[in-house]
Amino acid sequence: MGITDIDPLQNELLFERFLNPERVSLPDIDVDFCMNRRGEVIDYVTRKYGREQVAQIITFGTMAAKAAIKDVGRVLDMPYAEVDRIAKMIPATVGMTIDKAWPRGRNCGRSTRASRRSRS
């Protein structure tokens, strides 16, 4: 395909994956399609290149407990200081979950309910 011979600076491809001299492997190529007509694209590519040449790959990510709390607070339009205070209640431990951080009887539920009442 010749794509590995492209000079990223000359072609204004200022992506770290091209510019990082410590990168061991070549960058991958993928294309994302809107769900509206994704099936049509997959059917077309499968007919053109054959079933054995086409693959669908999906990745699932997980969100750390503190990041989840901050995202929920943002979506609920809560004040940043309040969300940050709640997020700081979660211990900074690898593998920490919200369930582990707030077992039944901890103060988070009371804290957030009291906060909601004070805003209404």
Side-chain angles (χ1 to χ4, degrees):
M1 291 175 74
I3 59 172
T4 59
D5 299 329
I6 294 173
D7 179 349
L9 294 176
Q10 179 183 347
N11 293 286
E12 298 183 37
L13 300 173
L14 302 177
F15 302 110
E16 182 177 330
R17 63 174 49 177
F18 289 101
L19 300 177
N20 184 352
E22 296 175 6
R23 185 179 175 95
V24 176
S25 62
L26 294 172
D28 64 330
I29 299 172
D30 69 354
V31 181
D32 297 323
F33 295 99
C34 175
M35 290 301 297
N36 293 341
R37 299 186 66 191
R38 179 183 167 95
E40 292 175 52
V41 173
I42 293 168
D43 289 343
Y44 170 79
V45 172
T46 302
R47 282 192 310 274
K48 182 164 179 84
Y49 297 105
R51 188 172 178 187
E52 296 299 315
Q53 304 301 318
V54 177
Q56 295 181 59
I57 301 171
I58 188 166
T59 58
F60 290 95
T62 59
M63 187 174 275
K66 286 186 180 198
I69 294 293
K70 289 181 177 185
D71 270 8
V72 168
R74 181 183 48 77
V75 168
L76 294 176
D77 200 25
M78 294 173 65
Y80 176 80
E82 181 179 350
V83 175
D84 191 50
R85 180 183 57 78
I86 294 168
K88 286 180 179 175
M89 292 179 185
I90 298 175
T93 306
V94 174
M96 180 55 62
T97 66
I98 293 171
D99 286 339
K100 287 179 190 174
W102 286 310
R104 303 265 183 241
R106 288 271 316 261
N107 290 332
C108 178
R110 284 185 289 238
S111 174
T112 54
R113 280 191 294 276
S115 177
R116 254 190 255 129
R117 280 195 300 271
S118 69
R119 285 189 307 189
S120 347

